Amino acid sequence: MSLLTVKHLTKSYKAGKLAVNNLSFELEKGECLGLVGESGCGKSTLARCLLRIELIDSGTILINNQAIEQLNEKQLHPYRRKIQIVFQNPSAALNPKLKIKDSLIDAYSQYKNDLKLVYFSYTSKDAYVKQLLEAVELPSELANRYPHELSGGQRQRVNIARAVSIEPELIVLDEPTASLDVISQGAVLNLLTELRECLHLSYLFISHDLAAVNQMSQRIMVMKEGKLIDQFSRNQLFAEERHPYTKELISFFR
Ligand code: ADP
Ligand code: MG
């Protein structure tokens, strides 16, 4: 079943240049769909359009077959819960003035009225925060610290905990490990894979790193200058019919 359907999505920042150019794809429930392409090709713009951080010029975005691009903020509220995002820079996404536990409770507070938790349970704030930290393999002492008292890898785990806290259906991961060292990168990718299985999540995993995308995803899309130029299942990565640009990306990561 299609969780996310995007049809002819187009977005420009200034007239004449399309950051996202007539993009169409489907993301199935439960899958990790990879999106790869060089810096500036429009990946983050697509991510921000899906989250309605940016308004689109034209096209359709359907979540569970419901078009959302025309919905007002109130109508959009339940759909906002279904899609969460993890950004590249883990520091920018956390409020530096809030203790980790207060950042972790934030999404729950916004959605608690129509939230039915399946994997986590809310008995008290402390108990809930403890479960979230456990889910991302962080010690519970971190709850009372501020973001600047954590490492980059720990901060990104907090962002992941925040994204999963309200049990969304889809998480858009926009280069979630690009600012981390190689060891933390591998650990965070493994954690994301585990969480996807345990919490039955779907991912749109965005990266300029074809190797990371290939490790994480069942299907891969390749974007160039705002357009989708190739898409294939993981085992077709090295197939002869790949787009010349995909082959270029492959040779770059060999
Ligand atoms: P990627 O995430 O693949 O690196 P982006 O989506 O960030 O690519 O950028 C796509 C294109 O849109 C680039 O040419 C970039 O310069 C431009 N762009 C991105 N954000 C903005 C913005 N807020 N205002 C104007 N142009 C932007
Ligand atoms: Mg980007």
Side-chain angles (χ1 to χ4, degrees), residues 4-12 18-26 46 49-50 55-62 69 223 226-228 231:
L4 171 73
T5 304
V6 171
K7 287 183 191 164
H8 307 297
L9 181 71
T10 296
K11 167 73 188 174
S12 58
L18 297 178
V20 173
N21 188 349
N22 195 23
L23 219 73
S24 299
F25 66 91
E26 281 192 24
L46 170 66
C49 288
L50 296 178
L55 291 176
I56 65 176
D57 297 354
S58 59
T60 311
I61 300 167
L62 301 118
E69 72 280 353
M223 221 176 145
K227 291 190 188 140
L228 212 55
Q231 52 179 315

Side-chain angles (χ1 to χ4, degrees), residues 11-14 17-20 35-48 54 88 174-175 206-208 223 225-226:
K11 167 73 188 174
S12 58
Y13 293 101
K14 42 185 186 281
K17 191 168 174 290
L18 297 178
V20 173
L35 173 62
V36 72
E38 66 195 272
S39 182
C41 74
K43 305 182 298 296
S44 295
T45 300
L46 170 66
R48 292 198 298 268
E54 299 280 0
Q88 171 173 355
D174 189 1
E175 312 234 19
I206 299 175
S207 178
H208 63 272
M223 221 176 145
E225 293 165 3

Side-chain angles (χ1 to χ4, degrees), residues 42-237:
K43 305 182 298 296
S44 295
T45 300
L46 170 66
R48 292 198 298 268
C49 288
L50 296 178
L51 276 286
R52 203 176 311 160
I53 302 167
E54 299 280 0
L55 291 176
I56 65 176
D57 297 354
S58 59
T60 311
I61 300 167
L62 301 118
I63 298 174
N64 297 331
N65 294 323
Q66 162 73 53
I68 59 159
E69 72 280 353
Q70 305 287 350
L71 300 183
N72 64 33
E73 229 10 84
K74 187 163 180 286
Q75 295 165 322
L76 194 64
H77 189 74
Y79 294 96
R80 282 220 189 270
R81 186 188 76 75
K82 289 176 196 265
I83 308 188
Q84 295 294 305
I85 187 161
V86 175
F87 294 104
Q88 171 173 355
N89 183 338
S91 312
L94 289 173
N95 184 339
K97 296 198 179 89
L98 289 187
K99 285 185 177 172
I100 298 305
K101 63 180 178 190
D102 295 314
S103 284
L104 285 176
I105 203 79
D106 183 54
Y108 179 84
S109 311
Q110 280 180 55
Y111 293 98
K112 63 181 172 201
N113 291 337
D114 41 21
L115 194 59
K116 282 198 185 70
L117 293 174
V118 176
Y119 303 102
F120 302 114
S121 60
Y122 193 99
T123 48
S124 69
K125 176 175 164 178
D126 284 347
Y128 177 67
V129 165
K130 190 165 178 281
Q131 289 169 48
L132 293 174
L133 289 171
E134 253 166 38
V136 294
E137 296 160 11
L138 286 176
S140 50
E141 306 88 89
L142 296 194
N144 288 308
R145 291 206 206 152
Y146 290 92
H148 75 269
E149 299 173 301
L150 272 58
S151 71
Q154 287 174 327
R155 278 195 289 263
Q156 196 60 306
R157 284 170 190 264
V158 171
N159 282 310
I160 293 167
R162 216 161 62 134
V164 301
S165 68
I166 48 173
E167 301 182 358
E169 295 192 29
L170 173 64
I171 302 184
V172 177
L173 302 161
D174 189 1
E175 312 234 19
T177 62
S179 68
L180 306 179
D181 62 75
V182 177
I183 306 255
S184 315
Q185 278 181 12
V188 168
L189 292 183
N190 287 339
L191 171 71
L192 286 167
T193 298
E194 275 171 34
L195 285 172
R196 192 170 68 78
E197 286 166 9
C198 297
L199 305 177
H200 296 97
L201 298 163
S202 309
Y203 291 158
L204 178 61
F205 178 70
I206 299 175
S207 178
H208 63 272
D209 180 343
L210 184 57
V213 166
N214 191 46
Q215 179 197 325
M216 291 280 290
S217 319
Q218 288 87 54
R219 279 196 308 134
I220 299 170
M221 307 191 290
V222 180
M223 221 176 145
K224 186 172 193 263
E225 293 165 3
K227 291 190 188 140
L228 212 55
I229 56 161
D230 204 2
Q231 52 179 315
F232 46 91
S233 64
R234 171 164 48 190
N235 57 16
Q236 293 297 306
L237 177 62

